[in-house]
Amino acid sequence: MSATRVLVLNSGSSSVKYQLLDMGDGSRLAVGLVERIGEQSSRLKHTPLASGGDPREQTGAIADHDAALKAVAEELAKDGLGLDSPELAAIGHRVVHGGKHFTEPTVVDDAVLAEIERLIPVAPLHNPANLTGIRTAQALRPDLPQVAVFDTAFHTTMPESAARYAIDVETADEHRIRRYGFHGTSHAYVSRATARLLGRTPEEVNVIVLHLGNGASASAVRGGRCVDTSMGLTPLEGLVMGTRSGDTDPAVIFHLARVGDMSIDEIDTLLNKKSGLIGLCGDNDMREITRRIDEGDEQAALAFDIYIHRLKKYIGAFYAVLGRVDAVAFTAGVGENAARVREAAVAGLESLGLAVDAELNAVRSDEPRLISPGDARVKVAVVPTDEELEIATQTYALVENTN
């Protein structure tokens, strides 16, 4: 029996999300989450989808990622899906930052680990946790291919005119300062799924993808290749997000340091964790914000308007970059579920061929769907993202080709 299963691991600083998929038929066998690693109140929630069993939950201290992955392995083993299974082909790891070096999924070896570690200064919150997950999985299954799938890889096709910042070239090169972009697995998956929805191949289609979650990013995809994206050196640039400011005059940092007597770390915390929607109105949940708007809350309404204004600017900018747009695709938590956001984002853009049908936009579904009028020049779509499936697909394809 050939090995067709892929375990996908997304290791955060204090959490591990995981899915076990069978690439033979694309089915999900198990999903789960370990959170609050390193605390007394750690929690592991495991759902055995293959058997149709009920979710299982355990609480109590899980000291580190090593203990977390061992606990995950034990849960999988209870369902006959253990890490020692001969049907397991590989483990695919989400790695947030791959810099310019990693343009595609890569089998992990010592050189790859060293390069991911070298990139920690530009991804200090994410790459260390990703490395820990890889090393722990290697220790559990040293004979199994470990594959790194990079958030930044999809965006490495951007031309230099889009990727370079207008700062001194030598300084930029020395410190690796450029636009890298993130959410790449989502943008890759959604751009291809949008093409399928239109009955065309990715090479035929120009798409603006709007990944709107607590973190949010936009991309301009021409013929299946990213040519621009909103996030930059870090995930801070671009759209207004749940807790991140997005685009801000860099001089704000100097001003806060000089006039506000704030340290670099304090400014970093402000822009990454206390800005965006939560900074504007005290909430970063779009459902709560729209509820407050309906109750007449002016602060929530202003936060929503700022969010939409920025989103509209990027739609227009990326429309100009692409020249021809076949579809605008909304995805991720807000993009998939907030009909009001979708409607507001394209309102007033009818001259660009953009509009939504109110009835279609109001429908809730887990399936990819069009929400624009039938005769719309530019299709507006809602396409649920599936980053785990994308990571598993890329991992399995690489392992199969290598074999």
Side-chain angles (χ1 to χ4, degrees):
M1 182 182 297
S2 61
T4 58
R5 294 176 182 171
V6 174
L7 177 64
V8 175
L9 295 178
N10 181 353
S11 299
S13 58
S14 61
S15 67
V16 175
K17 297 178 185 177
Y18 63 94
Q19 290 197 17
L20 181 65
L21 300 94
D22 190 324
M23 303 313 294
D25 58 12
S27 63
R28 281 175 174 76
L29 305 177
V31 302
L33 168 67
V34 188
E35 56 186 348
R36 297 192 291 273
I37 296 171
E39 300 180 21
Q40 292 299 313
S41 58
S42 306
R43 182 176 77 118
L44 190 162
K45 184 176 182 181
H46 174 87
T47 304
L49 300 175
S51 62
D54 294 328
R56 301 193 294 267
E57 190 169 313
Q58 57 175 279
T59 57
I62 296 177
D64 51 29
H65 283 72
D66 181 64
L69 283 181
K70 286 177 179 174
V72 169
E74 288 173 5
E75 288 300 319
L76 290 168
K78 292 176 184 176
D79 306 309
L81 304 170
L83 264 61
D84 58 350
S85 168
E87 296 179 61
L88 189 61
I91 299 178
H93 299 265
R94 180 197 180 204
V95 179
V96 167
H97 215 310
K100 286 180 65 178
H101 185 76
F102 296 111
T103 61
E104 55 191 19
T106 305
V107 175
V108 173
D109 57 21
D110 288 345
V112 171
L113 286 172
E115 183 63 19
I116 295 171
E117 191 162 12
R118 196 173 73 86
L119 288 162
I120 286 175
V122 288
L125 298 179
H126 298 96
N127 274 29
N130 302 154
L131 279 167
T132 299
I134 293 172
R135 286 172 172 145
T136 302
Q138 283 180 320
L140 290 173
R141 279 297 304 269
D143 59 313
L144 204 64
Q146 309 283 334
V147 176
V149 179
F150 299 90
D151 269 18
T152 49
F154 183 65
H155 304 300
T156 57
T157 56
M158 285 189 293
E160 285 293 280
S161 57
R164 283 253 179 206
Y165 292 111
I167 66 173
D168 173 68
V169 171
E170 289 185 7
T171 301
D173 288 348
E174 179 183 356
H175 299 288
R176 289 167 287 159
I177 298 171
R178 62 188 289 112
R179 174 170 286 109
Y180 292 103
F182 300 90
H183 296 142
T185 52
S186 178
H187 287 281
Y189 177 86
V190 170
S191 59
R192 288 201 308 273
T194 302
R196 286 197 300 271
L197 186 62
L198 301 183
R200 300 164 73 180
T201 66
E203 292 75 22
E204 298 176 295
V205 175
N206 291 354
V207 185
I208 297 172
V209 178
L210 304 172
H211 177 107
L212 308 179
N214 192 50
S217 61
S219 67
V221 183
R222 177 185 291 127
R225 293 167 62 87
C226 177
V227 295
D228 206 348
T229 192
S230 58
M231 285 180 167
L233 173 72
T234 75
L236 180 59
E237 187 180 2
L239 301 174
V240 175
M241 304 176 224
T243 66
R244 299 179 202 143
S245 64
D247 293 338
T248 307
D249 181 349
V252 168
I253 297 170
F254 315 144
H255 182 77
L256 290 173
R258 292 168 182 156
V259 178
D261 197 28
M262 293 177 68
S263 69
I264 292 296
D265 286 345
E266 287 173 330
I267 298 170
D268 190 323
T269 299
L270 171 71
L271 296 179
N272 274 294
K273 298 181 179 179
K274 297 181 179 180
S275 295
L277 292 171
I278 205 163
L280 290 168
C281 70
D283 271 308
N284 62 332
D285 187 324
M286 189 59 73
R287 294 165 295 189
E288 182 64 16
I289 291 170
T290 53
R291 183 194 66 76
R292 287 171 54 185
I293 292 171
D294 291 339
E295 293 178 353
D297 188 316
E298 293 183 2
Q299 194 172 7
L302 177 59
F304 183 87
D305 289 346
I306 293 170
Y307 182 95
I308 295 298
H309 180 78
R310 185 81 55 82
L311 189 54
K312 226 174 243 196
K313 281 176 67 175
Y314 269 94
I315 293 172
F318 285 176
Y319 202 119
V321 166
L322 290 170
R324 187 198 85 239
V325 175
D326 299 296
V328 173
F330 289 87
T331 194
V334 175
E336 294 169 28
N337 297 298
R340 185 182 297 199
V341 168
R342 298 191 296 260
E343 179 184 16
V346 301
L349 302 182
E350 291 81 8
S351 62
L352 297 180
L354 286 162
V356 297
D357 178 287
E359 289 187 13
L360 293 176
N361 190 37
V363 172
R364 295 183 70 90
S365 172
D366 293 331
E367 297 299 318
R369 60 200 184 276
L370 295 177
I371 59 171
S372 47
D375 60 352
R377 189 169 84 247
V378 179
K379 304 302 181 184
V380 180
V382 180
V383 180
T385 192
D386 198 331
E387 295 176 85
E388 288 77 17
L389 177 58
E390 180 68 18
I391 291 169
T393 300
Q394 292 189 27
T395 297
Y396 188 64
L398 176 61
V399 171
E400 283 289 281
N401 290 336
T402 303
N403 290 340

